[in-house]
Amino acid sequence: MKVLVTGGLGFIGSHTVVELQNSGFDVIIIDNLSNASIDVMDGIVSITGKTPIFEKLDLKDKAEVQQFFKSNEDISGVIHFAASKAVGESVENPLLYYENNINSLVYIIQEVKKLERCNFIFSSSCTVYGQADSMPISESAPIKPAESPYGNTKQIGETIIKDVCKIKESFNAIALRYFNPIGAHKSANIGELPIGVPQNLVPYITQTAAGIRKELSVFGDNYPTNDGTCIRDYIHVVDIAKAHVIALQRLLDFKNDTNFEVFNLGTGTGSSVLEVIQSFERVSNQKLNYKIVNRREGDVISAYADTKKANTVLGWKAESSLDDAMLSAWKWQQKL
Ligand code: UFG
């Protein structure tokens, strides 16, 4: 079966391509290479022994998207990762985010909708919950006003898909709300490739340990948590990738309960920034250079998933521990 993976050379996309190919799917990757390297293909091939089809295509180009689907009417499912994802950049340049993340989604859905049966998996984020009123956060928690244009594109994206599902019964979609994806494939042949200074905690930690950054700044230690630092649900990217294969199979097997479903992808365990640092120090056997600085604007205090629905309805459970994920991230950094 042919599956289209947009943004398939990105961090989560590339790991998902590996899991799809390992499960017997034929993969077509669309990527405009704006935030990914073509070298990621080599990593995918070295792990799976299979070369996915690659099309360099910008999903903001409506005519090109139409042309692509005209030549690929036999696609069984679409996993849509392609999007800009830097929270700070989205505040600086909101229109770029609305154009990249919303226009492309609309163009692709317009074409997918023409297929006989459409199976669509959407990359969403726990950012849609904002600072939730209680922990863990279940899928029924209210959607809070978005903190950033990036977060808003995820909320709007889900709404667009839901609205299309309402008017077209054969359009089947699953939105997967990721908590904090970290780590890399165990082979260390693919992983996260942040451009410039990393904004996220784990690549900043590994780059500091590798000597690329002088020290990690821990943003605030006076939050109302056990050790004063923020709590997140860090989940191994390979676990996230596997959830996409399971979600797609659910749609292919007609097992979905409704034609628009939402699942949290997290471990269910919250870890503080200091606990992540301790995990890194444990698995790498070295001390990390860090200092406590002021809070970062826009950070929520705590966010971790209620995973019941994903565990029981989707039939997926995160398998890797925080230490597994940190070790894989460190191995990837060393290889880089
Ligand atoms: N942190 C630091 N120092 C750093 C980087 C991060 O202390 O150099 C802290 C943050 O303050 C936060 C935690 O580490 O407490 C995690 O920060 P990340 O930037 O790694 O992750 P976020 O939870 O802020 O962001 C993630 C995704 C976003 C998404 C957001 C929704 O990366 O795409 O969750 O909450 F929008």
Side-chain angles (χ1 to χ4, degrees):
M1 276 188 186
K2 238 195 216 180
V3 180
L4 169 63
V5 181
T6 74
L9 295 182
F11 176 40
I12 308 176
S14 57
H15 288 82
T16 301
V17 170
V18 164
E19 297 306 319
L20 285 166
Q21 295 201 142
N22 283 346
S23 306
F25 289 99
D26 291 327
V27 176
I28 307 179
I29 293 174
I30 287 182
D31 204 302
N32 68 359
L33 300 179
S34 64
N35 193 19
S37 160
I38 190 66
D39 297 343
V40 174
M41 280 288 272
D42 297 340
I44 293 170
V45 175
S46 73
I47 297 168
T48 61
K50 280 198 260 178
T51 309
I53 295 172
F54 172 69
E55 294 229 12
K56 183 170 185 292
L57 193 155
D58 195 326
L59 296 168
K60 294 193 299 297
D61 187 328
K62 188 172 178 166
E64 276 201 34
V65 174
Q66 286 173 334
Q67 190 49 48
F68 172 84
F69 277 94
K70 261 192 208 126
S71 345
N72 290 282
E73 283 174 343
D74 54 343
I75 283 175
S76 311
V78 176
I79 305 184
H80 181 50
F81 292 106
S84 299
K85 60 169 187 178
V87 176
E89 184 187 45
S90 80
V91 175
E92 301 288 318
N93 197 347
L95 292 179
L96 176 80
Y97 273 66
Y98 290 116
E99 185 181 31
N100 278 356
N101 296 4
I102 303 299
N103 287 15
S104 55
L105 177 68
V106 170
Y107 297 156
I108 198 165
I109 289 180
Q110 278 169 338
E111 299 312 306
V112 174
K113 209 168 139 267
K114 293 177 191 158
L115 303 175
E116 205 171 304
R117 185 183 150 87
C118 343
N119 297 311
F120 194 82
I121 312 283
F122 179 62
S123 276
S124 191
S125 165
C126 67
T127 191
V128 302
Y129 300 119
Q131 178 57 71
D133 302 325
S134 62
M135 294 293 141
I137 308 172
S138 86
E139 289 82 351
S140 57
I143 301 296
K144 294 279 177 72
E147 290 273 351
S148 68
Y150 160 76
N152 207 17
T153 66
K154 292 297 169 192
Q155 295 190 0
I156 297 169
E158 283 196 15
T159 307
I160 291 172
I161 296 165
K162 198 161 47 176
D163 288 344
V164 173
C165 288
K166 273 187 206 149
I167 54 147
K168 192 164 163 82
E169 230 172 87
S170 62
F171 195 99
N172 290 276
I174 294 180
L176 297 174
R177 293 179 180 158
Y178 315 146
F179 281 69
N180 288 55
I182 59 163
H185 193 268
K186 64 176 189 298
S187 65
N189 288 344
I190 54 171
E192 195 168 2
L193 279 170
I195 291 176
V197 182
Q199 304 300 308
N200 296 116
L201 178 62
V202 172
Y204 209 106
I205 288 177
T206 57
Q207 288 198 7
T208 303
I212 302 168
R213 311 281 155 210
K214 197 167 132 270
E215 65 186 347
L216 169 79
S217 295
V218 173
F219 298 135
D221 69 346
N222 55 358
Y223 285 98
T225 61
N226 275 349
D227 61 23
T229 62
C230 290
I231 307 248
R232 296 288 182 275
D233 187 337
Y234 296 92
I235 173 163
H236 199 303
V237 65
V238 173
D239 278 327
I240 294 227
K242 287 178 178 166
H244 287 75
V245 181
I246 293 171
L248 178 66
Q249 199 60 56
R250 176 175 173 85
L251 296 183
L252 291 169
D253 294 343
F254 302 91
K255 293 229 175 90
N256 45 331
D257 295 328
T258 59
N259 69 335
F260 179 72
E261 294 183 313
V262 176
F263 295 102
N264 282 342
L265 297 186
T267 64
T269 302
S271 305
S272 71
V273 176
L274 292 180
E275 282 170 340
V276 175
I277 293 172
Q278 284 153 12
S279 166
F280 175 79
E281 292 184 333
R282 206 161 37 237
V283 300
S284 69
N285 218 3
Q286 68 178 85
K287 283 273 164 222
L288 186 78
N289 198 15
Y290 70 89
K291 64 167 186 229
I292 310 288
V293 301
N294 287 338
R295 292 179 176 196
R296 180 171 74 175
E297 211 185 315
D299 272 339
V300 298
I301 303 164
S302 180
Y304 56 95
D306 181 332
T307 60
K308 252 187 256 85
K309 189 176 174 203
N311 297 165
T312 55
V313 181
L314 187 61
W316 163 89
K317 198 173 189 319
E319 285 165 0
S320 296
S321 65
L322 178 60
D323 281 5
D324 295 335
M326 293 306 289
L327 180 60
S328 68
W330 179 227
K331 280 190 180 159
W332 165 244
Q333 181 67 60
Q334 286 172 302
K335 190 148 175 184
L336 282 177

